[in-house]
Amino acid sequence: EAHRERLRRRHPPLLPTLQLLEPSQLRLMVCGSEDLPVEKLLKMIKWPHRGVDPTKELAEHGFTLDSGGGCVPQYLHDVLADETTCVLMNGAEHCFDGAHRLQFFKWLTARRAVPIANSIEQDILLQFGAHRTPDSHPVAHACFSQLELPAYSSASVLRVKLLEALLNHEQTLGRYDLK
């Protein structure tokens, strides 16, 4: 009741509209969604290999055949789009299901929930990690919504490294170079 009174005083014309909403609808408007379908996640990522001049765009982000990273964006796309291939880690199977997609989004953007449709544009940028070895984990730069990826040899290697990074993010604060 106190919250309603504060709203009434600060935003008088808004209150009648808000009263028409169900609590779940209001929560969605204020907090965003806690569901992240594959299609929506894939649209949020700025894919350097899907532009007008893919070779040029890949090179601008460091993904070249010379660097060994030319296929890495496609590997990432394949991993995120595949909900059925699982990896056994810490005694449990992990697939890129809705929970892992949401965790991936939170890790990359430092957001707690996905903005509702058309409210905020969210571009996740990919960058080649030239100074990282293929044994390294991907690194998220949440301030820039950027994912730095080493030159992985296959989609399956990327899947394992990405899941390890997500599952261990809380303990390492996203850093894997800690001794």
Side-chain angles (χ1 to χ4, degrees):
E1 196 57 40
H3 294 294
R4 187 171 283 175
E5 184 55 37
R6 270 185 263 150
L7 260 175
R8 189 176 292 125
R9 277 185 275 134
R10 289 184 184 162
H11 307 286
L14 184 61
L15 192 58
T17 306
L18 292 178
Q19 288 175 334
L20 297 173
L21 298 174
E22 295 289 325
S24 61
Q25 294 170 316
L26 183 60
R27 183 171 190 261
L28 180 63
M29 286 182 66
V30 174
C31 301
S33 175
E34 290 190 16
D35 180 43
L36 185 53
V38 172
E39 302 79 29
K40 187 170 184 174
L41 175 61
L42 295 177
K43 285 180 183 175
M44 289 179 180
I45 299 172
K46 188 173 180 187
W47 298 100
H49 66 295
R50 303 279 167 107
V52 177
D53 186 355
T55 306
K56 180 182 175 189
E57 290 182 36
L58 281 165
E60 286 174 359
H61 294 273
F63 297 105
T64 63
L65 293 176
D66 294 341
S67 69
C71 297
V72 174
Q74 184 62 48
Y75 294 159
L76 178 65
H77 184 278
D78 296 347
V79 166
L80 296 176
D82 180 5
E83 297 181 73
T84 59
T85 304
C86 299
V87 175
L88 185 62
M89 291 181 178
N90 304 328
E93 280 194 344
H94 296 277
C95 309
F96 258 98
D97 55 9
H100 285 98
R101 283 192 303 273
L102 188 59
Q103 188 177 7
F104 176 75
F105 174 80
K106 290 176 181 181
W107 180 56
L108 279 174
T109 64
R111 291 177 172 266
R112 292 185 317 199
V114 181
I116 58 174
N118 302 324
S119 64
I120 297 175
E121 287 292 319
Q122 184 66 57
D123 277 340
I124 296 171
L125 305 174
L126 304 180
Q127 189 67 40
F128 179 65
H131 60 286
R132 304 204 178 276
T133 68
D135 294 333
S136 303
H137 291 88
V139 175
H141 301 285
C143 292
F144 306 105
S145 298
Q146 184 180 55
L147 180 63
E148 190 177 329
L149 296 162
Y152 295 120
S153 58
S154 67
S156 59
V157 171
L158 189 148
R159 177 180 287 107
V160 169
K161 294 295 185 180
L162 188 55
L163 283 168
E164 285 176 350
L166 291 176
L167 294 173
N168 294 303
H169 172 67
E170 296 299 318
Q171 292 82 11
T172 64
L173 299 175
R175 295 199 50 200
Y176 288 91
D177 56 347
L178 301 175
K179 301 283 187 223

